[in-house]
Amino acid sequence: VADSIEDFSVKCFIKYEYRITAIEDNTSNTSTSNTDTATSWEHNLPEVPDIINASVTATGLNTGESMLRWHKSISPDVDKYAIYRSQDTLNWTLIATLPNADTSYADKLLNTHGFSYYYKVNTIDSCGNVGLNNSERHKTIVLKASPGDQSNRLSCSSYEGFNVTAYEVYRDAQQVASLDPSAVSYTDS
């Protein structure tokens, strides 16, 4: 005789009604229990994903775009990803909530010409639990080019989010230099 039975195929916050029927072998004899209800919950918080990168994909004063990409969470119960953006790492704005199948987000209508943007991702499980910590934040790079006497001086903000081993400089889609990760400027002469 079973003392307890666990039903693992339930969803949070839904009331389920149960009844047990005892059946005798080789007869039609049965005995039915009373009914009872239960509403499940979950206490395990979902793990946050790892961000792959945050890159500017279109430059503009109000038509710029950044693309954020991340790995799926290792948690088996992730219902949604919450995407946050900040310009100062102090004030964060929820900009999108995406289904668990998504692993990228295009943030549009930005001033990518003048500003860097920080991004972080969190997880929400099917019970509405939010991951304990957000992902490590990533920041886009802002490049400024200044004209000179038969040269152009480039300066940029540092990328934040992964360990940069080099910055590659491209002129007209052709690589012209590879810079040390501590470099924040380059003169193209």
Side-chain angles (χ1 to χ4, degrees):
V1 175
D3 291 325
S4 66
I5 301 167
E6 292 191 51
D7 183 3
F8 291 106
S9 61
V10 298
K11 298 202 179 290
C12 291
F13 310 121
I14 295 176
K15 184 189 284 187
Y16 293 91
E17 181 178 278
Y18 294 95
R19 176 173 277 205
I20 303 290
T21 300
I23 301 171
E24 182 181 36
D25 274 343
N26 302 323
T27 70
S28 59
N29 294 334
T30 62
S31 177
T32 304
S33 72
N34 63 306
T35 60
D36 202 358
T37 60
T39 304
S40 72
W41 48 270
E42 183 178 17
H43 71 277
N44 295 325
L45 299 179
E47 293 287 328
V48 298
D50 292 325
I51 293 177
I52 298 169
N53 62 15
S55 295
V56 174
T57 53
T59 301
L61 295 176
N62 59 5
T63 58
E65 179 177 308
S66 292
M67 178 62 73
L68 179 66
R69 297 183 321 126
W70 61 91
H71 295 288
K72 290 181 84 61
S73 170
I74 61 170
S75 292
D77 182 19
V78 172
D79 187 44
K80 301 175 206 158
Y81 291 107
I83 314 302
Y84 295 88
R85 177 183 63 216
S86 175
Q87 285 184 274
D88 60 10
T89 71
L90 300 174
N91 301 296
W92 291 90
T93 302
L94 175 65
I95 58 172
T97 304
L98 304 172
N100 71 347
D102 289 357
T103 56
S104 65
Y105 176 72
D107 191 11
K108 300 178 180 182
L109 304 177
L110 301 172
N111 180 351
T112 56
H113 182 73
F115 297 103
S116 288
Y117 294 93
Y118 293 89
Y119 294 93
K120 62 185 180 179
V121 180
N122 206 333
T123 50
I124 303 168
D125 69 16
S126 62
C127 296
N129 295 316
V130 177
L132 183 59
N133 297 308
N134 291 298
S135 64
E136 184 175 326
R137 68 179 188 235
H138 283 240
K139 182 184 85 159
T140 59
I141 302 169
V142 171
L143 170 67
K144 295 293 182 191
S146 304
D149 184 10
Q150 293 190 345
S151 67
N152 290 318
R153 180 162 175 78
L154 309 177
S155 60
C156 68
S157 62
S158 298
Y159 184 81
E160 290 181 28
F162 58 72
N163 186 23
V164 175
T165 58
Y167 289 105
E168 294 177 344
V169 179
Y170 291 83
R171 178 192 336 116
D172 299 329
Q174 297 294 318
Q175 184 178 347
V176 294
S178 181
L179 307 176
D180 185 84
S182 62
V184 292
S185 64
Y186 174 74
T187 301
D188 185 12
S189 54

